[in-house]
Amino acid sequence: MRKLLAILAAVFCIAAASDPAERLADPAQEARARALFSEVRCLVCQNESIDDSQAELASDLRRLVRDQIKAGKSDDQVKAYLTDRYGEFVLLKPSFSWGNAALWGAPFLVVGLGVWLLARNLRAPRPSSELSEEEAARLADLADDDQT
Amino acid sequence: MIAETGAFALILALVLSLAQVVLSVAGRWRRASVLAGAGAGAALAAFACVAVAFAALMHAFVTSDFSVANVTANSHTEKPMLYKVAGTWGSHEGSMLLWCLALTGFGAAVAGFRRGLPPGLKAVTVATQGAIGTVFLAYTVLASNPFQRLAQIPIEGRSLNPLLQDPALAFHPPALYAGYVGMSVVFSLAVGALVEGRADAAWARWVRPWTLMAWSLLTVGITLGAFWAYYELGWGGWWFWDPVENASFMPWLIATALLHSAIVTEKRGALAGWTVFLALAAFTFSMLGAFLVRSGVLTSVHAFAVDPTRGVLLLMILGATAGAGFALFAWRAPALSPGGVFAPVSRESALVLNNILLAAATVTVLLGTLYPLIREAATGEAISVGPPFFNLTFTPLMAALLILLPAGPLLAWKRADALGVAQRLWVAALIAAACGLLAFAVVSPRKALASAGLGLGAWLILGALVELAERTRAFRGSAAETWRRLTGLPRGAWGMTLAHAGLGIFVLGACFETGWKAEAAETLVIGGHLNVGAYELTLDAIQGVDGPNFDAERAVISARKAGALICAPRPERRFYPAGGQTTSEVAICTLGASHLYVVLGERRPGEVWLVRAYWNPWALLIFLGPGVMALGGLISLSDRRLRLAVGRRAAAA
């Protein structure tokens, strides 16, 4: 979602926030470059993208990406170029590979497991709609109102 | 002399914490109230001692006593008084002392409540709190003593990092730490429940106020940190999915889940084991946060005092404390009663879904933070996990949670009427959808996802209002009856409404800001122009400024909209000679709920300055929303029903 927003944002604010001296002449190419920047790590910085970082290396990487785009490379080609040179470490979005299966799969696994446990619990004997005597007594004692 | 008093008080606190453990355990074992009472007394004394040590360190900072190594490393005579005081907790050693102060403070608070908890549970809780205190005090005394003296006293200190010399950051650590450490009480109560073999409605009622307090403080702390990043780092971002931000966010997510599951345990006696588990997990994640920030295993903008040896020690503390807690859980949890059953459509089910999604979100953040380490250790390959990962995983989980949220409070316990809830919510759903569509049609440029986000924010706020209307029978009963019900509502109900509406306010702000922010950067001569959003900025002049401990260039800028002067931002570029650092002081014009955000960059050859400007629409809501949520938490906390004495009455019955 952020990627999409970033692309759109970059398209519509034309003037990129990065240094005007670095900008590409073609606004469409510049927008693509900006979208890519937010996915590329500034290698010497502390967990910043090259879009945010003011470090010299980030500026070098930005120039590299802009040069590639100017040369007519696609986004994937630019990313491949970067990973060939710097390894997967340079990309802030980990690839969908087997090595990262646990990373991408875990959120869905937890949701699946939780829903399965809930469903199993629900299949236990159906509750009567009335409260039992003990429950009614406890509720009366606990809840003098219907606050959550 | 005062520093030695502080060091001595700290060692005394360590001994007293140990006495607190031994006496409380003996009191529980022999069922002797005198021994347990002595344990509680030791807890109060330990807190007093840490308070003395903390005051001593603060005194050293305020008087710039450079014979203390920690003061030399982190203070400077020319630093403003607020930052001298804040310097007390600005370093690794000082922040550990603040951590211990909060830890013993909460221990004393638990021990100090004369009535309330049943004696057995109280003794075990005080003992556990004492054990945690002993471990952290031992670490502070032995490995991170803030009172170490220097043999050669320097004339001047090395000063605090200028980025940290900021009002929001002066109060960010105390709020965050109080929140982190507030979870220790919940942890201790969970250990108490496991030892005593009861995690019932009364127990859940004692857990809730502590969780609420810690959650509210964490909310405030995290928001202050995000606000600091927003205006201090100078590119208008407020959340970076940085490891250290994640470290504070995980306990918050778990605490949020715990707040909701404890309700189920209190009202219905169900989910007891899960609630105990979350109570243990909340403090475990707090300790993990303390470890991650200090160990140097992760690189981050915020990490400080990076020291691998101390990191190993903290990891051992984390492993021992959490390990003991979860081992006890594995042993004793099966003894807890399974609790009541409920239908698929019921308040219980909704709250379980809330917990599933929050747990999945926590796991996502945890893996996103630690996966690069795991992968590197396992295969030697270095990878990065950055914002694009979290946007693809965390955001959809949260979106699902927020879509379900307004239905939750309207569902009845045990078995609910889905159709009835739908009937009450359809108007709100229609209005929210209309808001989203309107944003899509009207706001330019056209953005589908951001518009949907605005609809979601409206849905949350309207849902909270519908729930309030249901409680007060608004539009159905007479106005007088509605008023009577409205004034008679328990504070807990107001707290929930505010917290849910606050979340909606945050979502509105976050989506609008992310979707429609505009940015511009130009090199300007004096008199040059820069356009951002609907505003035209003119650089009128550059002034030199002589600050208390810095020199600065200040840009005098006028911002105009359609020719009319709207505001006059004064961004600065500061140079701190003490540390040789340069920082940029952002100027923000608040226009309604939106921000015009101006940064002065470096001077280029020729009399030319780089000026960057951002139009951040509705950015104020991003920080206002969590503020409203925290306010909801505090109002809820003041509810009569959540006071401990009431819990005792429930237990006695």
Side-chain angles (χ1 to χ4, degrees):
Chain A
M1 173 173 143
R2 174 84 167 266
K3 181 182 167 187
L4 189 66
L5 291 174
I7 294 171
L8 291 174
V11 167
F12 289 103
C13 18
I14 302 165
S18 285
D19 204 317
E22 296 179 3
R23 260 176 241 157
L24 290 172
D26 179 355
Q29 284 189 343
E30 175 66 16
R32 270 181 55 211
R34 293 283 312 226
L36 270 176
F37 290 166
S38 60
E39 288 190 30
V40 177
R41 184 186 189 125
C42 162
L43 297 163
V44 296
C45 314
Q46 301 184 315
N47 214 37
E48 282 179 292
S49 75
I50 60 170
D51 200 39
D52 298 330
S53 177
Q54 294 171 20
E56 218 164 290
L57 179 100
S59 161
D60 292 345
L61 280 171
R62 281 197 293 266
R63 191 173 319 120
L64 211 65
V65 171
R66 281 189 168 111
D67 287 347
Q68 292 282 311
I69 287 182
K70 217 160 137 187
K73 300 275 174 64
S74 73
D75 287 5
D76 287 336
Q77 282 172 324
V78 178
K79 282 189 203 167
Y81 175 77
L82 287 171
T83 44
D84 284 348
R85 286 186 101 176
Y86 303 105
E88 212 187 321
F89 185 66
V90 77
L91 295 182
L92 282 171
K93 181 175 149 192
S95 61
F96 295 104
S97 63
W98 281 111
N100 294 335
L103 177 66
W104 286 103
F108 304 98
L109 206 68
V110 173
V111 172
L113 187 73
V115 171
W116 177 72
L117 281 174
L118 176 63
R120 208 186 55 161
N121 190 27
L122 288 172
R123 250 185 282 128
R126 304 221 62 173
S128 67
S129 54
E130 298 299 316
L131 298 178
S132 73
E133 227 169 78
E134 180 219 3
E135 284 171 331
R138 193 170 62 214
L139 257 188
D141 184 62
L142 271 177
D144 22 304
D145 54 56
D146 59 350
Q147 202 256 318
T148 49
Chain B
M1 184 58 209
I2 288 179
E4 276 68 40
T5 312
F8 176 72
L10 203 57
I11 295 167
L12 194 58
L14 171 61
V15 176
L16 282 165
S17 285
L18 204 57
Q20 176 185 344
V21 181
V22 174
L23 288 168
S24 300
V25 168
R28 170 68 185 81
W29 193 269
R30 310 271 303 267
R31 303 212 173 264
S33 58
V34 178
L35 285 174
L44 292 169
F47 171 56
C49 285
V50 180
V52 167
F54 193 75
L57 185 64
M58 194 179 279
H59 177 267
F61 268 91
V62 169
T63 58
S64 294
D65 179 356
F66 293 127
S67 68
V68 176
N70 191 30
V71 179
T72 306
N74 297 292
S75 199
H76 194 276
T77 48
E78 285 174 8
K79 211 164 61 164
M81 184 50 80
L82 172 66
Y83 305 128
K84 282 186 183 170
V85 174
T88 314
W89 53 78
S91 68
H92 168 86
E93 289 83 359
S95 68
M96 281 318 295
L97 189 57
L98 179 66
W99 176 284
C100 290
L101 181 72
L103 199 54
T104 49
F106 289 130
V110 175
F113 281 120
R114 297 211 164 268
R115 286 172 305 217
L117 294 169
L121 180 62
K122 181 175 166 178
V124 178
T125 306
V126 171
T128 313
Q129 198 69 21
I132 301 171
T134 306
V135 174
F136 277 98
L137 278 166
Y139 170 79
T140 310
V141 169
L142 300 174
S144 150
N145 188 350
F147 295 104
Q148 230 134 41
R149 294 275 197 183
L150 289 173
Q152 303 228 305
I153 301 170
I155 300 167
E156 194 49 273
R158 289 200 292 275
S159 198
L160 186 67
N161 183 345
L163 275 180
L164 305 181
Q165 295 184 29
D166 180 274
L169 214 64
F171 299 108
H172 159 74
L176 201 61
Y177 278 30
Y180 273 166
V181 177
M183 297 299 172
S184 70
V185 179
V186 181
F187 182 95
S188 299
L189 279 168
V191 171
L194 290 168
V195 170
E196 300 291 313
R198 49 176 280 186
D200 53 9
W203 175 82
R205 178 168 280 203
W206 290 304
V207 165
R208 280 183 67 198
W210 286 105
T211 314
L212 255 179
M213 183 212 60
W215 177 88
S216 303
L217 288 166
L218 263 183
T219 311
V220 171
I222 295 171
T223 311
L224 279 176
F227 190 53
W228 169 80
Y230 174 72
Y231 70 75
E232 192 66 36
L233 296 184
W235 67 86
W238 43 274
W239 192 261
F240 306 98
W241 293 110
D242 180 90
V244 171
E245 291 171 348
N246 295 348
S248 67
F249 193 41
M250 287 186 278
W252 187 89
L253 286 169
I254 290 289
T256 312
L258 174 60
L259 269 182
H260 292 88
S261 81
I263 295 171
V264 181
T265 309
E266 182 189 330
K267 299 286 187 195
R268 302 279 302 123
L271 299 184
W274 174 243
T275 304
V276 170
F277 180 84
L278 285 178
L280 295 174
F283 187 57
T284 303
F285 276 108
S286 296
M287 286 189 292
L288 182 69
F291 161 70
L292 287 180
V293 185
R294 291 180 177 76
S295 62
V297 294
L298 296 168
T299 54
S300 150
V301 197
H302 313 255
F304 69 119
V306 163
D307 181 344
T309 351
R310 285 170 173 174
V312 169
L313 274 174
L314 280 172
L315 190 62
M316 282 162 62
I317 292 178
L318 166 66
T321 313
F326 285 111
L328 188 66
F329 179 81
W331 176 38
R332 297 283 291 179
L336 299 174
S337 73
V341 282
F342 46 87
V345 179
S346 61
R347 177 92 62 94
E348 288 94 324
S349 281
L351 287 168
V352 169
L353 268 183
N354 152 308
N355 271 237
I356 291 171
L357 289 167
L358 281 171
T362 313
V363 168
T364 307
V365 178
L366 180 67
L367 264 182
T369 311
L370 296 183
Y371 198 76
L373 287 180
I374 300 169
R375 179 91 193 268
E376 190 162 12
T379 64
E381 293 166 82
I383 64 157
S384 300
V385 179
F389 167 78
F390 294 101
N391 292 331
L392 281 173
T393 49
F394 181 85
T395 312
L397 285 173
M398 279 298 113
L401 181 65
L402 300 187
I403 289 169
L404 293 172
L405 194 155
L410 292 174
L411 290 164
W413 290 108
K414 206 162 183 181
R415 173 176 285 168
D417 169 20
L419 199 65
V421 172
Q423 277 172 345
R424 289 174 204 155
L425 276 173
W426 71 269
V427 179
L430 273 185
I431 299 176
C435 286
L437 286 174
L438 188 73
F440 186 67
V442 172
V443 186
S444 124
R446 193 162 282 183
K447 293 187 177 183
L449 274 175
S451 304
L454 292 186
L456 196 56
W459 168 238
L460 289 175
I461 296 173
L462 290 166
L465 292 178
V466 166
E467 201 270 338
L468 198 63
E470 278 299 314
R471 272 174 193 280
T472 56
R473 299 186 154 273
F475 313 119
R476 286 193 288 139
S478 67
E481 196 204 348
T482 300
W483 177 252
R484 189 181 57 75
R485 282 175 174 264
L486 198 65
T487 48
L489 272 186
R491 290 189 187 166
W494 285 111
M496 184 195 71
T497 304
L498 279 175
H500 288 172
L503 186 59
I505 294 173
F506 166 78
V507 170
L508 283 181
C511 290
F512 209 105
E513 197 264 357
T514 315
W516 285 285
K517 73 176 186 179
E519 43 184 343
E522 287 298 342
T523 45
L524 299 181
V525 293
I526 303 291
H529 301 289
L530 170 69
N531 287 310
V532 58
Y535 298 86
E536 187 193 45
L537 274 55
T538 311
L539 179 63
D540 293 326
I542 297 277
Q543 303 168 336
V545 178
D546 210 6
N549 54 345
F550 59 84
D551 301 315
E553 276 186 329
R554 178 186 289 161
V556 180
I557 292 173
S558 44
R560 289 185 178 79
K561 188 179 187 181
L565 187 69
I566 301 288
C567 77
R570 299 272 183 277
E572 290 177 12
R573 196 170 167 77
R574 290 182 179 172
F575 176 70
Y576 288 80
Q581 297 116 319
T582 307
T583 67
S584 64
E585 200 67 12
V586 174
I588 298 176
C589 294
T590 305
L591 307 164
S594 307
H595 284 160
L596 184 60
Y597 181 109
V598 187
V599 189
L600 178 63
E602 74 266 20
R603 178 194 289 217
R604 293 281 160 87
E607 294 291 284
V608 181
W609 284 266
L610 180 66
V611 176
R612 288 185 290 134
Y614 300 78
W615 170 243
N616 295 334
W618 292 17
L620 193 60
L621 301 187
I622 296 169
F623 310 107
L624 191 69
V628 172
M629 291 169 82
L631 184 70
L634 293 176
I635 288 178
S636 212
L637 197 57
S638 69
D639 194 308
R640 189 183 59 83
R641 295 176 52 262
L642 283 181
R643 294 205 189 134
L644 295 176
V646 185
R648 191 175 69 110
R649 204 193 60 205

